[in-house]
Amino acid sequence: MKESDFDKRVREQMESYGEIPDSLLWGSIERTLAVNTRKIYFYRSVRAVSAVAAAVALFLIVGRDSVFNITQRVHEGIVTIVEDPAVIEFSESLPNRGDIVPIILKKRGVTAKLFEEKPLQEEQTPQKSYDQITQQLPTENEEQKHQEKTEKQITTSRESQNIFSDFTIEDQIKIRKRKPALSLSTMLTPSAGRSDRVMNTFMHTNFKELSSSLDRDVNQFETVYDTRYLPTISVGLQVMVPLNRTLSLVTGVNYSILYSITDEQRISESVRREQTLHYIGIPLYLYSNIYSSEKFILYGGVGATLEKGVVERIKKNGAVPLDISNNIPGLQWSAGATIGGEYVLGKNIGLYADPMLMYYFKGNQPKSIRSAQPLQFRLEIGLRYRF
Amino acid sequence: MHLLITAMGIRKREYSTQQEIIEGCIKREPPAQRKLYEVYAPKMLTLATRYAGDRERAKDILHDGFITLFNKIDSYSGIGSFEGWVRRIFVNTALMSLRKADVLRNTEEINNAVGEISDNPGPVEMMSSKELMELIASMPDGFRLVFNMYAIEGYNHQEIAKELNISEGSSRSQLSRARMWLQERIRRQNEGE
């Protein structure tokens, strides 16, 4: 019998044969599929909720600031009162941004005009409503007192009599220092790129079993490893709590992804192994103000971060593809120092950048850029909202 | 009413064609998944048993294979036979399972497992399919994998060498020995030994 005939007959017999599996097996598959489907919907929901939350947060931070600006810009104008006012009323509805609004004073027909003026600085002006403005103006009961004034025309401006800016810039910087802040941060570790070439010989294809060089003669496989680490990316939510006028404590939670690709070149094939590590960490830093101005804050800080590995995912192609997830035992400690700066964008919001020097301590952690290169440069950029 | 039901998409689908079943599985519709399982489970259980060598591991392969199949079915391009694509998934799942169990490591070390070679092997047709499958399942690991991949799945030696991480020469050698091993067992069985 020819070999090909034998193979063909076996194949034909096998192709026509099937066994009915255990009826419980489908139940097990169905349960696993249901869990997977729930996971998919859960991740989709998380993404959707995160997007909505980000949009709401953006509105609350940026939108609210804009609303404040509208009110301020109208109030920051020059009010010219032609005669002593009595009861005032607006000729129209409440003014919009940039409107020039005639105010008609009923009793004596005195008019006052509110002119828009380019604001000096948003932080310099406390927020005042129209009610407060009208309180500043004399009422009918105070008419007698006002009549004693010799000046018929009162010009209000920042240079002469600024009734809207009660606080100096220095005062406002002090107030800003006392406010707690919430930060949304993104961290990039650009120094993470590294190439690691290793040639090893193995008794078996399982690379956990390293053989010594003495075994080289009996080995059949030589493998060259080429590992590339991609920059670590982190996102975080942090709270800055002022301890006194100089020191602040920063803590929060951050999430990091470490990614590496290892190409294994063997005699017979090339295998690519992708490793993704997910970490959640809690930073604790002490910041000290170095310099503060109207628009800029410079500070320095030192501290440590404790991170717990969530999951290690390994994907491997080649002879037998592999896609597994492992738990990461143990903790990752790191210490860092920074000199950072914050640019004040608005009343409550600032854009900050913290270049940071980090050192990752060795622990029982999977091999990553942190073990290969413990001293790293990191750049943290984010928005800081003071409330 | 019929139009309304159709428009609302709540009409129970029949899944009478392979295309409908695949589309239903892509949409993660449980009835379509059940249908696909019913169609392919018997063949894939046989395949898994042939590779695994024991029934318990074969059940695990069948379970993991179907999970992979349902998760990856949207990547089926439609080019080529769907059954061939399904078989490929189950072969890969079986190899992955055997690798985890450290079975593949032994594929180079079983050259001495062949007994006496018969010049006159008994005809395959005299055996039932079940008996033949059990014989294949009882082959030594390396023989079983190479024989299954070459003789039944139609892989060539280059592909087998790549999949099992062995040399092509080793694949040829093991196939030859596997054939002789199987022919000898068939002969013995037919002779009632």
Side-chain angles (χ1 to χ4, degrees):
Chain A
M1 186 187 293
K2 283 184 182 177
E3 289 174 349
S4 58
D5 288 343
F6 177 74
D7 292 352
K8 188 182 171 188
R9 289 178 186 185
V10 173
R11 183 164 57 246
E12 283 172 356
Q13 285 249 43
M14 287 296 96
E15 282 179 352
S16 63
Y17 180 67
E19 287 184 348
I20 304 297
D22 190 344
S23 58
L24 297 174
L25 192 63
W26 172 247
S28 169
I29 292 171
E30 208 171 21
R31 280 192 296 277
T32 310
L33 287 172
V35 171
N36 288 350
T37 307
R38 276 200 296 273
K39 277 183 189 171
I40 289 167
Y41 288 133
F42 173 74
Y43 289 133
R44 283 180 187 169
S45 306
V46 166
R47 279 189 220 126
V49 168
S50 303
V52 172
V56 170
L58 203 63
F59 173 78
L60 288 175
I61 293 169
V62 180
R64 189 177 163 186
D65 207 42
S66 304
V67 170
F68 287 163
N69 281 344
I70 291 169
T71 315
Q72 280 179 336
R73 289 190 65 181
V74 173
H75 291 171
E76 281 172 1
I78 299 170
V79 177
T80 304
I81 301 173
V82 180
E83 289 185 30
D84 284 350
V87 179
I88 65 169
E89 65 176 22
F90 292 102
S91 59
E92 293 176 1
S93 57
L94 280 171
N96 293 317
R97 180 200 293 254
D99 283 351
I100 297 174
V101 185
I103 302 173
I104 300 164
L105 301 178
K106 254 187 173 179
K107 199 169 184 178
R108 296 186 181 177
V110 177
T111 59
K113 286 187 177 180
L114 208 60
F115 297 97
E116 185 195 6
E117 185 185 76
K118 189 179 178 183
L120 287 178
Q121 185 57 47
E122 289 165 358
E123 286 74 16
Q124 293 174 19
T125 309
Q127 298 161 28
K128 290 176 183 290
S129 66
Y130 271 92
D131 290 337
Q132 288 173 299
I133 293 175
T134 54
Q135 283 169 12
Q136 293 283 338
L137 299 172
T139 61
E140 193 170 359
N141 296 332
E142 295 169 332
E143 189 179 352
Q144 198 64 36
K145 292 178 184 176
H146 285 289
Q147 283 177 348
E148 291 171 3
K149 292 180 182 176
T150 53
E151 293 179 353
K152 285 287 180 183
Q153 194 173 50
I154 302 166
T155 303
T156 305
S157 69
R158 286 186 182 80
E159 289 77 18
S160 57
Q161 184 187 350
N162 191 343
I163 61 170
F164 305 109
S165 299
D166 295 337
F167 301 107
T168 63
I169 292 171
E170 287 73 21
D171 289 335
Q172 290 169 43
I173 291 172
K174 286 174 189 172
I175 290 168
R176 191 166 60 202
K177 284 179 179 175
R178 289 197 295 268
K179 283 184 175 179
L182 186 70
S183 308
L184 286 167
S185 60
T186 305
M187 289 151 267
L188 184 68
T189 313
S191 62
R194 184 171 184 272
S195 185
D196 180 17
R197 286 180 180 274
V198 183
M199 175 177 274
N200 286 317
T201 56
F202 294 85
M203 280 294 284
H204 303 291
T205 55
N206 187 339
F207 55 81
K208 284 181 182 171
E209 298 183 10
L210 265 173
S211 63
S212 72
S213 57
L214 294 173
D215 296 324
R216 189 178 291 267
D217 291 339
V218 295
N219 288 337
Q220 295 186 21
F221 303 109
E222 283 193 333
T223 305
V224 177
Y225 288 90
D226 182 6
T227 304
R228 296 188 304 284
Y229 300 103
L230 271 67
T232 306
I233 295 174
S234 308
V235 290
L237 189 65
Q238 297 173 1
V239 178
M240 177 186 266
V241 182
L243 300 176
N244 56 37
R245 288 177 63 179
T246 308
L247 295 176
S248 300
L249 193 68
V250 174
T251 187
V253 62
N254 57 41
Y255 172 75
S256 304
I257 298 177
L258 289 79
Y259 185 75
S260 68
I261 301 171
T262 301
D263 286 320
E264 298 176 23
Q265 296 291 340
R266 298 177 184 170
I267 291 172
S268 59
E269 65 171 349
S270 163
V271 176
R272 171 162 286 195
R273 179 174 178 270
E274 297 173 29
Q275 179 204 44
T276 313
L277 299 168
H278 300 262
Y279 279 92
I280 286 182
I282 298 174
L284 188 65
Y285 278 74
L286 192 65
Y287 278 33
S288 173
N289 275 310
I290 297 172
Y291 167 77
S292 293
S293 72
E294 188 184 346
K295 277 285 185 186
F296 187 72
I297 307 164
L298 184 71
Y299 49 80
V302 290
T305 303
L306 175 64
E307 287 175 285
K308 173 79 181 89
V310 182
V311 70
E312 175 193 33
R313 186 171 182 194
I314 295 173
K315 285 176 77 175
K316 192 173 181 180
N317 63 11
V320 181
L322 192 68
D323 188 351
I324 55 168
S325 297
N326 301 321
N327 292 328
I328 305 174
L331 297 168
Q332 171 75 64
W333 284 94
S334 61
T338 180
I339 291 181
E342 180 183 339
Y343 180 75
V344 179
L345 292 175
K347 183 174 173 59
N348 294 321
I349 196 164
L351 177 69
Y352 74 95
D354 293 356
M356 193 172 278
L357 206 57
M358 301 287 299
Y359 185 82
Y360 290 92
F361 296 98
K362 285 184 180 175
N364 183 26
Q365 296 297 295
K367 189 181 173 188
S368 70
I369 182 63
R370 292 174 174 178
S371 56
Q373 190 176 316
L375 188 63
Q376 291 185 31
F377 172 76
R378 192 180 82 179
L379 179 63
E380 179 177 331
I381 296 172
L383 288 172
R384 192 167 279 146
Y385 178 72
R386 290 186 168 75
F387 51 92
Chain B
M1 187 63 189
H2 177 76
L3 281 174
L4 183 64
I5 289 171
T6 307
M8 292 175 70
I10 54 176
R11 187 161 61 97
K12 191 177 178 183
R13 297 182 66 176
E14 295 296 330
Y15 304 113
S16 53
T17 65
Q18 181 175 279
Q19 190 60 31
E20 283 182 353
I21 295 173
I22 293 170
E23 285 171 2
C25 289
I26 290 171
K27 292 174 187 170
R28 295 186 173 269
E29 293 171 355
Q33 292 173 332
R34 178 68 191 256
K35 189 82 177 176
L36 190 73
Y37 173 82
E38 286 170 356
V39 171
Y40 287 105
K43 283 184 180 177
M44 294 308 123
L45 179 60
T46 310
L47 182 149
T49 309
R50 279 194 283 109
Y51 276 84
D54 70 83
R55 193 157 288 270
E56 284 310 307
R57 186 177 289 158
K59 283 182 187 173
D60 291 342
I61 292 169
L62 195 66
H63 176 276
D64 294 350
F66 270 109
I67 298 299
T68 309
L69 173 62
F70 291 133
N71 286 336
K72 304 275 183 189
I73 195 164
D74 54 350
S75 65
Y76 172 61
S77 60
I79 300 166
S81 149
F82 181 67
E83 184 173 336
W85 186 78
V86 172
R87 275 179 175 275
R88 181 86 187 183
I89 284 180
F90 277 86
V91 170
N92 284 343
T93 309
L95 293 176
M96 195 186 297
S97 169
L98 295 171
R99 186 182 179 89
K100 278 182 188 170
D102 226 6
V103 171
L104 294 189
R105 190 192 292 185
N106 302 323
T107 52
E108 293 275 358
E109 301 167 0
I110 51 174
N111 290 341
N112 299 323
V114 182
E116 294 178 6
I117 310 299
S118 169
D119 292 333
N120 184 26
V124 176
E125 290 79 6
M126 288 179 68
M127 297 187 74
S128 70
S129 297
K130 187 178 181 183
E131 286 172 336
L132 185 59
M133 193 204 67
E134 284 170 354
L135 263 187
I136 294 172
S138 67
M139 291 169 93
D141 293 335
F143 289 0
R144 191 176 69 244
L145 293 175
V146 174
F147 183 79
N148 271 309
M149 292 176 80
Y150 186 92
I152 302 177
E153 259 67 58
Y155 285 67
N156 60 37
H157 287 296
Q158 192 180 6
E159 289 169 328
I160 294 170
K162 191 179 174 188
E163 293 285 343
L164 301 183
N165 210 8
I166 59 177
S167 65
E168 283 186 48
S170 179
S171 174
R172 287 178 208 282
S173 160
Q174 295 212 35
L175 175 67
S176 174
R177 289 168 179 272
R179 276 201 197 105
M180 287 189 281
W181 187 96
L182 189 60
Q183 287 169 354
E184 174 63 15
R185 291 300 188 283
I186 291 170
R187 186 190 64 77
R188 284 189 198 171
Q189 201 142 327
N190 287 338
E191 289 175 3
E193 285 183 19

